[in-house]
Amino acid sequence: MKLHDGTTVWLNARSTLRYPNHFGKNERKVELDGEAFFEVKQNGKVPFVISTEKANIKVLGTKFNVFAYKGHEEFNTSLVEGSVKVYQGESDADALDITPHECVFLSDGKLVKSYFDNSDFLLWKEGIYAFDDVPFSYIIKKLELYYDITIIQKNKKLDQYRFSGKFRQRDGVESVLQTLQKVYYFSFVKDEENNCITIR
């Protein structure tokens, strides 16, 4: 979507962006629940502020990704271009400033800065979910989130394995699981009535 100031926003599955019809003179503030990629239109006098459940991000003009679903422990902001400030609460006095290929995530309730060199996780903008050497449980959590489904994992052997792969979003959750089956075999059954998948 394009906001009236010229900022472009991509929203991932089950994400909500609240924004006013017209921004104020002092700041351009939006509220995000979910994951979004922003290309913020440059305006040095009026900062763009993204408010989320766990932290806020302030920018002037830049490209970056925010993962901040309400009720989920995970929060992160990853910067592609420009610079952003990430902070908790109303004041940005203790903000972490990040530059391209840096990210900020929550660890024990505190914001921590890190670095990323693989930007495949941003492919969701093109309808591709990418996982790079992550535990099976991590993939399951993401699939539940992205496809709004409950997945019961009864095959505890799978927890010791790590997976990498890229999947087309439109192919659906069952296609992802069928592909993962080829790496380490497991079975699964879908309960359509209860919108639930059980992995055995």
Side-chain angles (χ1 to χ4, degrees), residues 7-9 15 21 24 28 40-42 61 73 83 90-91 95 103 112 126 153 155 159 167 176 197:
T7 292
T8 306
V9 185
S15 300
N21 285 334
R28 298 171 283 166
V40 175
K41 187 78 170 175
Q42 184 79 29
E73 290 177 24
S83 66
E90 291 303 310
S91 170
C103 59
V112 178
E126 279 102 60
Q153 214 289 77
N155 186 339
D159 292 341
F167 307 94
V176 175
I197 290 177

Side-chain angles (χ1 to χ4, degrees), residues 170-188:
R170 69 173 183 263
D171 289 347
V173 64
E174 291 170 82
S175 173
V176 175
L177 292 173
Q178 285 163 0
T179 303
L180 294 174
Q181 275 180 322
K182 295 172 183 171
V183 183
Y184 298 105
Y185 181 75
F186 59 88
S187 63
F188 69 89

Side-chain angles (χ1 to χ4, degrees), residues 26-200:
N26 299 320
E27 68 177 9
R28 298 171 283 166
K29 190 168 188 177
V30 300
E31 292 177 27
L32 174 68
D33 171 14
E35 184 171 19
F37 186 89
F38 294 85
E39 278 187 17
V40 175
K41 187 78 170 175
Q42 184 79 29
N43 186 337
K45 293 180 181 176
V46 186
F48 192 95
V49 178
I50 297 127
S51 173
T52 77
E53 184 181 50
K54 295 186 174 64
N56 300 317
I57 301 106
K58 183 182 278 189
V59 305
L60 297 176
T62 186
K63 296 180 183 178
F64 59 101
N65 195 75
V66 180
F67 184 98
Y69 285 90
K70 281 184 180 172
H72 283 256
E73 290 177 24
E74 188 180 351
F75 165 87
N76 66 59
T77 300
S78 306
L79 183 64
V80 175
E81 188 179 291
S83 66
V84 303
K85 294 178 179 232
V86 185
Y87 57 97
Q88 292 173 301
E90 291 303 310
S91 170
D92 65 353
D94 297 322
L96 290 178
D97 292 307
I98 59 174
T99 54
H101 292 284
E102 286 185 331
C103 59
V104 169
F105 61 93
L106 269 181
S107 178
D108 295 326
K110 291 184 179 177
L111 294 171
V112 178
K113 189 155 67 167
S114 186
Y115 180 84
F116 69 92
D117 52 8
N118 185 341
S119 57
D120 279 355
F121 66 94
L122 297 174
L123 288 172
W124 67 263
K125 281 170 45 203
E126 279 102 60
I128 295 170
Y129 291 136
F131 301 104
D132 183 26
D133 192 33
V134 294
F136 189 72
S137 58
Y138 177 87
I139 295 177
I140 293 305
K141 279 182 188 172
K142 293 288 189 191
L143 294 178
E144 285 186 309
L145 185 61
Y146 294 147
Y147 293 102
D148 192 19
I149 191 166
T150 301
I151 301 177
I152 300 163
Q153 214 289 77
K154 291 191 169 179
N155 186 339
K156 297 305 174 192
K157 263 189 189 174
L158 295 169
D159 292 341
Q160 64 187 314
Y161 301 126
R162 300 178 75 84
F163 294 79
S164 297
K166 293 178 184 173
F167 307 94
R168 281 193 303 268
Q169 181 182 0
R170 69 173 183 263
D171 289 347
V173 64
E174 291 170 82
S175 173
V176 175
L177 292 173
Q178 285 163 0
T179 303
L180 294 174
Q181 275 180 322
K182 295 172 183 171
V183 183
Y184 298 105
Y185 181 75
F186 59 88
S187 63
F188 69 89
V189 61
K190 187 172 184 184
D191 179 347
E192 297 281 357
E193 192 176 324
N194 294 308
N195 193 34
C196 174
I197 290 177
T198 304
I199 294 174
R200 295 193 174 94

